[in-house]
Amino acid sequence: MSDSGTRAGSSKAKPLCRALAGERLARPPFWFMRQAGRYLPEYRALRARAGGFLELCLTPELAAEATLQPIRRYGMDGAILFADILLIPHALGQSLDYREGNGPVLAPVRDAAGLAGLDACRVEARLAPVYETVARVADALPGEVALIGFAGAPWTVATYMVEGGGSPDHRHAKRWAYSDPAGFEALMDLLVRATIDYLAGQVRAGAEAVQLFDTWAGSLAAPEFDRWVIRPTARIVAGLRARELEVPIIGFPRGAGLRLADYVRETEVDALGLDTGTPAAWARNALADGVCLQGNLDPQLLVVGGEAMLAEARALRRRLSGGPHIFNLGHGIVPETPPAHVEALSEMLRDEALEA
Ligand code: CP3
């Protein structure tokens, strides 16, 4: 992490960008994964107006509104682009449908023939509405709020593409990777290149930081973690920097556990998103000095609310107070979360500074 912490570019004054640049702030900035979504009544109304989830993601006016809804209510320091990690498979021409209650359903790609059916040429045109959403949000955001772009990391996106949706064990993706590593590598290479273009497009449109969601990083054995999590992530980080895009990159390798130190060192991300199970005090001590840590309140505490939530949030800020910290959850807000609990937590995070 030698020269990390200096890449916040023109947005250095915003608290979130300062933390990403390595600054320890008396009031750590905050945002929440899945801060837009079904727990908000105004999101449900917008979703109904859009018709479908994909339509919502790909209609800039509506996606910009979904991005801004939680900011208006709660005043977070970061707005995360409203989109989905599966827009890249969709842009590659893989059929994708979001079914109420069942999550995403895709036509599985499991071999060279499936790969040949994908069309990399149309990706940029099909993702153009997302860049327009970014530009609209960048124009509309209050001056102190940073805009965060994102993509799924290649391994996590590949699990959905190969399984045809969510799965408990990613068996088809793993079996393809073990039995035909060169074939699986071709899929991963396609995703790495599309993801660099996609994130570069978001940054050019106004994103001031980007997060790579590797939700299923923790399901891989060690050599495969190196090959399918660390290596593709390092290529994306290097690819963005080679284009001279001054953007801090947040990695979120969920479930990575003992591999977090390797992940930070070898990918050269600027910040690390901690999942719920990672002990925050351990992370502060064990990981590279100066790396910004983001996380990691249990989203279920936001369902419970009250003193249980506030006391643990305060304790978590203290555990991470030895270095740059962006307060967040350990995974996304769940739909059952009462909006009033998000308000109470946001108020505490806005109004209370750490003791010196
Ligand atoms: O507020 C935000 O965080 C920004 C928007 C965002 C969404 N998905 C919106 C969404 C982000 C950053 C994501 C990331 C995402 N999408 C991940 C990685 C993070 C994680 O949660 O682990 C993954 C694995 C996906 C894929 C995905 N999209 C699934 C598995 C599902 C179905 C499960 C569910 O929660 O419904 C989605 C749909 C989805 N993505 C919704 C939202 C608001 C719900 C769709 C609806 O409105 O019905």
PDB file of all heavy atoms in Angstrom, residues 35 52 58 65 68 93 102-103 107 125-126 184 204 209 215 221 231-232 278 287 289 300 336:
ATOM      1  N   GLN A  35     -28.453   0.938   0.720  1.00  0.00           N
ATOM      2  CA  GLN A  35     -29.200   2.019   1.370  1.00  0.00           C
ATOM      3  C   GLN A  35     -30.433   2.410   0.566  1.00  0.00           C
ATOM      4  O   GLN A  35     -31.378   2.980   1.111  1.00  0.00           O
ATOM      5  CB  GLN A  35     -28.307   3.232   1.648  1.00  0.00           C
ATOM      6  CG  GLN A  35     -27.692   3.894   0.425  1.00  0.00           C
ATOM      7  CD  GLN A  35     -26.592   4.893   0.809  1.00  0.00           C
ATOM      8  OE1 GLN A  35     -25.979   4.784   1.870  1.00  0.00           O
ATOM      9  NE2 GLN A  35     -26.329   5.862  -0.052  1.00  0.00           N
ATOM     10  N   GLY A  52     -40.401  -3.011 -13.950  1.00  0.00           N
ATOM     11  CA  GLY A  52     -39.489  -4.084 -13.540  1.00  0.00           C
ATOM     12  C   GLY A  52     -38.207  -3.520 -12.962  1.00  0.00           C
ATOM     13  O   GLY A  52     -37.920  -2.323 -13.100  1.00  0.00           O
ATOM     14  N   LEU A  58     -32.128   0.750 -15.702  1.00  0.00           N
ATOM     15  CA  LEU A  58     -31.682   1.248 -17.011  1.00  0.00           C
ATOM     16  C   LEU A  58     -32.450   2.477 -17.495  1.00  0.00           C
ATOM     17  O   LEU A  58     -32.315   2.892 -18.644  1.00  0.00           O
ATOM     18  CB  LEU A  58     -31.756   0.112 -18.048  1.00  0.00           C
ATOM     19  CG  LEU A  58     -30.767  -1.031 -17.768  1.00  0.00           C
ATOM     20  CD1 LEU A  58     -30.985  -2.215 -18.717  1.00  0.00           C
ATOM     21  CD2 LEU A  58     -29.313  -0.537 -17.861  1.00  0.00           C
ATOM     22  N   GLU A  65     -33.191   8.888  -9.239  1.00  0.00           N
ATOM     23  CA  GLU A  65     -34.099   9.141  -8.119  1.00  0.00           C
ATOM     24  C   GLU A  65     -33.896   8.087  -7.012  1.00  0.00           C
ATOM     25  O   GLU A  65     -33.815   8.431  -5.828  1.00  0.00           O
ATOM     26  CB  GLU A  65     -35.548   9.143  -8.637  1.00  0.00           C
ATOM     27  CG  GLU A  65     -36.632   9.215  -7.586  1.00  0.00           C
ATOM     28  CD  GLU A  65     -36.571  10.441  -6.680  1.00  0.00           C
ATOM     29  OE1 GLU A  65     -35.951  11.452  -7.073  1.00  0.00           O
ATOM     30  OE2 GLU A  65     -37.131  10.370  -5.564  1.00  0.00           O
ATOM     31  N   LEU A  68     -30.891   8.886  -4.977  1.00  0.00           N
ATOM     32  CA  LEU A  68     -31.000  10.075  -4.124  1.00  0.00           C
ATOM     33  C   LEU A  68     -31.945   9.895  -2.943  1.00  0.00           C
ATOM     34  O   LEU A  68     -31.836  10.616  -1.941  1.00  0.00           O
ATOM     35  CB  LEU A  68     -31.452  11.275  -4.981  1.00  0.00           C
ATOM     36  CG  LEU A  68     -30.426  11.730  -6.017  1.00  0.00           C
ATOM     37  CD1 LEU A  68     -31.073  12.680  -7.043  1.00  0.00           C
ATOM     38  CD2 LEU A  68     -29.247  12.429  -5.337  1.00  0.00           C
ATOM     39  N   GLY A  93     -25.416  -9.876 -23.205  1.00  0.00           N
ATOM     40  CA  GLY A  93     -26.443 -10.578 -23.969  1.00  0.00           C
ATOM     41  C   GLY A  93     -26.995 -11.813 -23.270  1.00  0.00           C
ATOM     42  O   GLY A  93     -27.795 -12.551 -23.853  1.00  0.00           O
ATOM     43  N   ASN A 102     -37.616 -14.520  -5.682  1.00  0.00           N
ATOM     44  CA  ASN A 102     -36.694 -15.596  -6.074  1.00  0.00           C
ATOM     45  C   ASN A 102     -35.306 -15.113  -6.442  1.00  0.00           C
ATOM     46  O   ASN A 102     -34.423 -15.918  -6.690  1.00  0.00           O
ATOM     47  CB  ASN A 102     -37.237 -16.353  -7.295  1.00  0.00           C
ATOM     48  CG  ASN A 102     -38.350 -17.297  -6.902  1.00  0.00           C
ATOM     49  OD1 ASN A 102     -38.359 -17.804  -5.782  1.00  0.00           O
ATOM     50  ND2 ASN A 102     -39.286 -17.513  -7.802  1.00  0.00           N
ATOM     51  N   GLY A 103     -35.129 -13.817  -6.511  1.00  0.00           N
ATOM     52  CA  GLY A 103     -33.833 -13.314  -6.943  1.00  0.00           C
ATOM     53  C   GLY A 103     -33.671 -13.448  -8.448  1.00  0.00           C
ATOM     54  O   GLY A 103     -34.609 -13.789  -9.169  1.00  0.00           O
ATOM     55  N   ALA A 107     -29.946 -17.429 -17.971  1.00  0.00           N
ATOM     56  CA  ALA A 107     -29.729 -18.648 -18.759  1.00  0.00           C
ATOM     57  C   ALA A 107     -28.274 -19.051 -18.540  1.00  0.00           C
ATOM     58  O   ALA A 107     -27.367 -18.317 -18.938  1.00  0.00           O
ATOM     59  CB  ALA A 107     -29.999 -18.366 -20.231  1.00  0.00           C
ATOM     60  N   ALA A 125     -22.559   0.145 -25.237  1.00  0.00           N
ATOM     61  CA  ALA A 125     -23.818   0.789 -25.632  1.00  0.00           C
ATOM     62  C   ALA A 125     -24.930   0.413 -24.654  1.00  0.00           C
ATOM     63  O   ALA A 125     -25.748   1.256 -24.270  1.00  0.00           O
ATOM     64  CB  ALA A 125     -24.199   0.376 -27.048  1.00  0.00           C
ATOM     65  N   ARG A 126     -24.933  -0.844 -24.218  1.00  0.00           N
ATOM     66  CA  ARG A 126     -26.027  -1.271 -23.332  1.00  0.00           C
ATOM     67  C   ARG A 126     -25.871  -0.724 -21.919  1.00  0.00           C
ATOM     68  O   ARG A 126     -26.838  -0.679 -21.180  1.00  0.00           O
ATOM     69  CB  ARG A 126     -26.125  -2.794 -23.328  1.00  0.00           C
ATOM     70  CG  ARG A 126     -26.517  -3.325 -24.707  1.00  0.00           C
ATOM     71  CD  ARG A 126     -26.715  -4.805 -24.722  1.00  0.00           C
ATOM     72  NE  ARG A 126     -28.056  -5.172 -24.272  1.00  0.00           N
ATOM     73  CZ  ARG A 126     -28.597  -6.362 -24.479  1.00  0.00           C
ATOM     74  NH1 ARG A 126     -27.909  -7.302 -25.108  1.00  0.00           N
ATOM     75  NH2 ARG A 126     -29.799  -6.637 -24.035  1.00  0.00           N
ATOM     76  N   PHE A 184     -12.573 -21.518 -18.135  1.00  0.00           N
ATOM     77  CA  PHE A 184     -13.147 -20.614 -17.135  1.00  0.00           C
ATOM     78  C   PHE A 184     -12.408 -19.278 -17.141  1.00  0.00           C
ATOM     79  O   PHE A 184     -13.006 -18.214 -16.985  1.00  0.00           O
ATOM     80  CB  PHE A 184     -13.111 -21.270 -15.747  1.00  0.00           C
ATOM     81  CG  PHE A 184     -13.853 -20.490 -14.697  1.00  0.00           C
ATOM     82  CD1 PHE A 184     -15.239 -20.420 -14.706  1.00  0.00           C
ATOM     83  CD2 PHE A 184     -13.165 -19.809 -13.702  1.00  0.00           C
ATOM     84  CE1 PHE A 184     -15.928 -19.689 -13.746  1.00  0.00           C
ATOM     85  CE2 PHE A 184     -13.850 -19.075 -12.734  1.00  0.00           C
ATOM     86  CZ  PHE A 184     -15.232 -19.014 -12.758  1.00  0.00           C
ATOM     87  N   ARG A 204     -15.655   8.483 -15.480  1.00  0.00           N
ATOM     88  CA  ARG A 204     -15.711   9.614 -16.426  1.00  0.00           C
ATOM     89  C   ARG A 204     -17.028  10.375 -16.287  1.00  0.00           C
ATOM     90  O   ARG A 204     -17.093  11.579 -16.493  1.00  0.00           O
ATOM     91  CB  ARG A 204     -15.527   9.120 -17.861  1.00  0.00           C
ATOM     92  CG  ARG A 204     -14.052   8.855 -18.191  1.00  0.00           C
ATOM     93  CD  ARG A 204     -13.835   8.693 -19.694  1.00  0.00           C
ATOM     94  NE  ARG A 204     -14.454   7.455 -20.168  1.00  0.00           N
ATOM     95  CZ  ARG A 204     -13.809   6.303 -20.291  1.00  0.00           C
ATOM     96  NH1 ARG A 204     -12.527   6.219 -20.027  1.00  0.00           N
ATOM     97  NH2 ARG A 204     -14.437   5.233 -20.702  1.00  0.00           N
ATOM     98  N   ALA A 209     -15.533   7.426  -6.279  1.00  0.00           N
ATOM     99  CA  ALA A 209     -14.927   6.235  -5.691  1.00  0.00           C
ATOM    100  C   ALA A 209     -15.672   5.066  -6.325  1.00  0.00           C
ATOM    101  O   ALA A 209     -16.770   5.250  -6.857  1.00  0.00           O
ATOM    102  CB  ALA A 209     -15.118   6.209  -4.185  1.00  0.00           C
ATOM    103  N   THR A 215     -19.076 -10.755  -3.250  1.00  0.00           N
ATOM    104  CA  THR A 215     -19.955 -11.345  -2.243  1.00  0.00           C
ATOM    105  C   THR A 215     -19.610 -12.803  -1.939  1.00  0.00           C
ATOM    106  O   THR A 215     -19.754 -13.258  -0.815  1.00  0.00           O
ATOM    107  CB  THR A 215     -21.406 -11.237  -2.755  1.00  0.00           C
ATOM    108  OG1 THR A 215     -21.665  -9.856  -3.011  1.00  0.00           O
ATOM    109  CG2 THR A 215     -22.406 -11.772  -1.748  1.00  0.00           C
ATOM    110  N   ALA A 221     -11.345 -22.152  -2.128  1.00  0.00           N
ATOM    111  CA  ALA A 221     -10.134 -22.685  -1.489  1.00  0.00           C
ATOM    112  C   ALA A 221      -8.952 -21.774  -1.839  1.00  0.00           C
ATOM    113  O   ALA A 221      -9.022 -20.978  -2.779  1.00  0.00           O
ATOM    114  CB  ALA A 221      -9.868 -24.105  -1.990  1.00  0.00           C
ATOM    115  N   ARG A 231      -6.276 -12.204  -8.274  1.00  0.00           N
ATOM    116  CA  ARG A 231      -5.688 -11.830  -9.572  1.00  0.00           C
ATOM    117  C   ARG A 231      -6.627 -10.959 -10.424  1.00  0.00           C
ATOM    118  O   ARG A 231      -6.198  -9.902 -10.918  1.00  0.00           O
ATOM    119  CB  ARG A 231      -5.223 -13.075 -10.331  1.00  0.00           C
ATOM    120  CG  ARG A 231      -4.036 -12.748 -11.230  1.00  0.00           C
ATOM    121  CD  ARG A 231      -3.769 -13.801 -12.269  1.00  0.00           C
ATOM    122  NE  ARG A 231      -3.301 -15.050 -11.698  1.00  0.00           N
ATOM    123  CZ  ARG A 231      -3.230 -16.195 -12.385  1.00  0.00           C
ATOM    124  NH1 ARG A 231      -3.614 -16.236 -13.655  1.00  0.00           N
ATOM    125  NH2 ARG A 231      -2.791 -17.292 -11.818  1.00  0.00           N
ATOM    126  N   PRO A 232      -7.878 -11.339 -10.598  1.00  0.00           N
ATOM    127  CA  PRO A 232      -8.759 -10.461 -11.397  1.00  0.00           C
ATOM    128  C   PRO A 232      -8.962  -9.080 -10.764  1.00  0.00           C
ATOM    129  O   PRO A 232      -9.030  -8.071 -11.474  1.00  0.00           O
ATOM    130  CB  PRO A 232     -10.100 -11.214 -11.452  1.00  0.00           C
ATOM    131  CG  PRO A 232      -9.847 -12.573 -10.917  1.00  0.00           C
ATOM    132  CD  PRO A 232      -8.537 -12.594 -10.214  1.00  0.00           C
ATOM    133  N   THR A 278     -15.902 -10.325  10.337  1.00  0.00           N
ATOM    134  CA  THR A 278     -14.492  -9.968  10.568  1.00  0.00           C
ATOM    135  C   THR A 278     -14.355  -9.095  11.815  1.00  0.00           C
ATOM    136  O   THR A 278     -14.971  -8.032  11.893  1.00  0.00           O
ATOM    137  CB  THR A 278     -13.944  -9.194   9.350  1.00  0.00           C
ATOM    138  OG1 THR A 278     -14.085 -10.025   8.193  1.00  0.00           O
ATOM    139  CG2 THR A 278     -12.475  -8.849   9.532  1.00  0.00           C
ATOM    140  N   LEU A 287      -3.952  -5.331   9.369  1.00  0.00           N
ATOM    141  CA  LEU A 287      -3.870  -4.950   7.958  1.00  0.00           C
ATOM    142  C   LEU A 287      -2.956  -3.749   7.754  1.00  0.00           C
ATOM    143  O   LEU A 287      -2.687  -2.993   8.684  1.00  0.00           O
ATOM    144  CB  LEU A 287      -5.268  -4.690   7.409  1.00  0.00           C
ATOM    145  CG  LEU A 287      -6.168  -5.934   7.523  1.00  0.00           C
ATOM    146  CD1 LEU A 287      -7.586  -5.608   7.122  1.00  0.00           C
ATOM    147  CD2 LEU A 287      -5.612  -7.072   6.676  1.00  0.00           C
ATOM    148  N   ASP A 289      -0.945  -0.575   7.372  1.00  0.00           N
ATOM    149  CA  ASP A 289      -1.123   0.754   7.951  1.00  0.00           C
ATOM    150  C   ASP A 289      -1.676   1.702   6.912  1.00  0.00           C
ATOM    151  O   ASP A 289      -1.223   1.731   5.788  1.00  0.00           O
ATOM    152  CB  ASP A 289       0.252   1.302   8.369  1.00  0.00           C
ATOM    153  CG  ASP A 289       0.490   1.080   9.845  1.00  0.00           C
ATOM    154  OD1 ASP A 289      -0.434   0.561  10.505  1.00  0.00           O
ATOM    155  OD2 ASP A 289       1.584   1.410  10.313  1.00  0.00           O
ATOM    156  N   GLN A 300     -28.522  -7.021  10.827  1.00  0.00           N
ATOM    157  CA  GLN A 300     -29.660  -7.442  11.672  1.00  0.00           C
ATOM    158  C   GLN A 300     -29.833  -6.495  12.865  1.00  0.00           C
ATOM    159  O   GLN A 300     -30.930  -6.391  13.411  1.00  0.00           O
ATOM    160  CB  GLN A 300     -29.476  -8.888  12.155  1.00  0.00           C
ATOM    161  CG  GLN A 300     -29.446  -9.919  11.026  1.00  0.00           C
ATOM    162  CD  GLN A 300     -30.704  -9.923  10.153  1.00  0.00           C
ATOM    163  OE1 GLN A 300     -31.776  -9.525  10.575  1.00  0.00           O
ATOM    164  NE2 GLN A 300     -30.549 -10.367   8.910  1.00  0.00           N
ATOM    165  N   GLU A 336     -36.644  -6.027   5.694  1.00  0.00           N
ATOM    166  CA  GLU A 336     -37.488  -5.865   6.896  1.00  0.00           C
ATOM    167  C   GLU A 336     -37.068  -4.682   7.764  1.00  0.00           C
ATOM    168  O   GLU A 336     -37.691  -4.413   8.787  1.00  0.00           O
ATOM    169  CB  GLU A 336     -37.423  -7.118   7.787  1.00  0.00           C
ATOM    170  CG  GLU A 336     -37.658  -8.439   7.107  1.00  0.00           C
ATOM    171  CD  GLU A 336     -36.391  -8.972   6.451  1.00  0.00           C
ATOM    172  OE1 GLU A 336     -35.490  -9.470   7.135  1.00  0.00           O
ATOM    173  OE2 GLU A 336     -36.321  -8.868   5.192  1.00  0.00           O
TER     174      GLU A 336
END
